[in-house]
Amino acid sequence: MEAFKRSCTCGDLRKSDTEKTVTLNGWIHRIREHGGITFINLRDRYGITQVVVDADSLSELQTSAKDLHMEFCVAVEGRVRARPDSMINRDMPTGEIEVLAQKVVVLSKSEVLPFMIDEVQKDGTPVIPNEDLRLKYRYLDLRRAQMQHHLALRHKVCLAVRNYLSSHGFYELETPTFIKSTPEGARDYLVPSRLYPGKFYALPQSPQLYKQILMVSGFDRYFQIARCYRDEDARGDRQPEFTQIDMEMSFVSRDDVLSMTEGLMGAIFKETLNIELPARFTRIAYDDAIDLYGTDKPDLRFDMKMKDASFMADIGSFQVFKDALPSGTVKALVVPGQAEQYSRKRIEELEAVAKIYKAKGLAWMKVTSDTSLEGGISKFFAGNEAEIIKKLGAQTGDLLLFAADAQYKTACTALGAVRSRLGKDLNLAKADEFAFAWIIDFPLFEWNEDEQKWDAAHHMFSMPQEQYHATLESDPESVKGDLYDLVLNGYELASGSIRIHDPELQKRIFKIVGFNEEEGQKKFGFLTEAFKYGAPPHGGIAPGLDRLVMLMCKESSIKEVIAFPKNTFAVSPMDECPSEVDSKQLEELHIKFTE
């Protein structure tokens, strides 16, 4: 092999390299024969170079070229020559040259491919193999230019994270992978102990407790590109294992954490995509996000805020609106210029979206002039059309959509889901735009209807805002936490909070969410014990690396930016995990299956 070790990559050569003798290593991307000449596109991670076996090449070389096939891994030795002007490929960085082969050595052969690498249709549209094939032959899928680009960008993002945080005084420290099982929302992945029968380690859902202990230990600023594990039911774009940019800081306020994260995101986007982000991101209170967008992760690449239409209950005879008040609300969405485009059938499709979020229906009208409304529920508001149009800020040709419910949040979230659907259907959001925002002032607690108790909205270690400390037990519903989410283009990108560092305050939170002192000691005693020894005020955040890179790559699934993801059912078709293990391994772990 030493004799055929590459002297340059398949992306290196330019016209200035003409007449050089080079050795290339790579995979045969495409091969074709024309007029007795064999053309080979040789590919590696750096690019593609055209290799030519001329008609007047040695017969032995011509013969061996006929036995080459796509994805053979080969070494090519040859001379760089300039392409004729008429044959220059402007779409390839190496398109001004080609390598006249003098020797071709097959390093390894490839069987017939289950799918072509980077196949395109006649119009240039990429042909994407189905997901099962892609995951079964992931090593082939990863050869595709798109996957090479995505994982290269992931690497650059990680490097930018390390450079920025290190330059701001952070230490990169690892926390354990085998930890104590603690309640964190999802189920833990459990690892049985061979040495201690009946006892288990858990894989971390996050490094939450350990990074707080690092603050108690005096490390002040910590980060980690952390692997996390959650045993959740198969749904949506979830992975059982994922990666987050975990950060924690001592002696900080909420604004300090937000500012540091804004700087980090700015550095990532500038260094990897050469995009300048605003120095400060929009801040939206949770209550306002629900009221205006119907979600705590709004896509701000388009406007279309929801409006309060409760006034319509008093000026019309539509009973649904009247029934929603006074406990609930009527919310309206003005869809500019879409009255004619949305038929009853298309509106029914939007109604189906609203019903997923427990709405009883989706009312509608169309604005046909400054003083007239038609269709849907317009007959219930005869004589009051001009007032409705004016108060909602509508114009001729607009479509008006309404959700009403005796539960305020139901009306908001249902119509918010319709807003999100319209954003996609009408292409309102620009693919190359990145709209960050902070959602702040979250409720600290949420009511668990099934168990009739209060739960922590995020986790039990989040600090309540100071003005609510006196009323925690008497009015938990009103308590706002020092919590914050970073959202990007309609996705939650990061979640964080200022943490509780006072053991007595922590006990009060445990009690409100139904953790008695004994249970709290059993589950979290090692953390509360650490807090007895001078815990500093601290806070942190954990942006999702997979989600961030997904959005930067303009993809819709994190599978596209993870080297070896599981499928929707948490299975890896490539190595067929999870898999059975032999009985001896089970015996050593003191595990026995029962019928």
Side-chain angles (χ1 to χ4, degrees), residues 10-17 46-50 83 88-98:
C10 294
D12 282 342
L13 299 173
R14 299 294 185 269
K15 195 170 185 178
S16 58
D17 297 304
Y46 306 94
I48 293 176
T49 295
Q50 180 169 282
R83 293 197 199 189
I88 290 174
N89 186 341
R90 303 292 180 188
D91 295 330
M92 288 173 59
T94 61
E96 288 187 301
I97 59 91
E98 59 191 16

Side-chain angles (χ1 to χ4, degrees), residues 165 168-175 210-223 247-252 534-539:
L165 293 179
H168 284 77
F170 284 76
Y171 287 169
E172 183 173 8
L173 301 171
E174 296 84 13
T175 52
Y210 293 91
K211 67 179 179 179
Q212 290 189 249
I213 289 174
L214 284 171
M215 297 302 103
V216 178
S217 305
F219 284 101
D220 195 73
R221 291 187 172 195
Y222 138 96
F223 85 97
M247 301 162 56
E248 199 77 7
M249 305 162 65
S250 291
F251 308 112
V252 292
H538 58 283

Side-chain angles (χ1 to χ4, degrees), residues 12 83 103 152 178-179 189 201 212 231 254 266 272 294 300 337 417 455 513 530 553 565 568 580:
D12 282 342
R83 293 197 199 189
K103 191 176 295 185
F178 284 8
I179 66 171
Y189 278 103
Y201 301 101
Q212 290 189 249
D231 185 5
R254 178 189 73 187
T272 61
L300 300 182
D455 288 339
V513 299
C553 291
T568 307
E580 295 177 350

Side-chain angles (χ1 to χ4, degrees), residues 254-375:
R254 178 189 73 187
D255 284 347
D256 294 321
V257 179
L258 269 53
S259 178
M260 183 63 67
T261 308
E262 288 164 345
L264 172 62
M265 291 297 151
I268 290 171
F269 275 75
K270 179 61 179 174
E271 291 178 27
T272 61
L273 299 180
N274 197 29
I275 290 175
E276 293 277 0
L277 296 181
R280 180 182 167 93
F281 301 156
T282 301
R283 286 159 168 74
I284 305 172
Y286 170 84
D287 289 343
D288 291 337
I290 297 299
D291 189 61
L292 296 174
Y293 304 104
T295 176
D296 59 4
K297 42 182 183 291
D299 190 340
L300 300 182
R301 290 176 295 173
F302 62 99
D303 191 19
M304 204 161 38
K305 297 181 181 74
M306 299 190 307
K307 303 185 179 186
D308 185 359
S310 297
F311 71 92
M312 292 175 62
D314 295 328
I315 62 171
S317 58
F318 190 48
Q319 193 61 40
V320 172
F321 286 5
K322 295 180 182 297
D323 291 344
L325 303 177
S327 61
T329 190
V330 180
K331 301 298 289 185
L333 201 59
V334 178
V335 190
Q338 293 300 312
E340 294 300 321
Q341 282 68 32
Y342 270 79
S343 62
R344 183 183 295 271
K345 181 181 178 183
R346 290 188 71 187
I347 293 171
E348 287 173 354
E349 291 172 356
L350 295 176
E351 183 177 43
V353 172
K355 286 182 174 179
I356 293 172
Y357 293 85
K358 300 183 180 179
K360 297 178 180 66
L362 184 69
W364 60 276
M365 297 187 283
K366 297 180 177 182
V367 184
T368 53
S369 76
D370 291 346
T371 58
S372 61
L373 297 166
E374 290 184 2

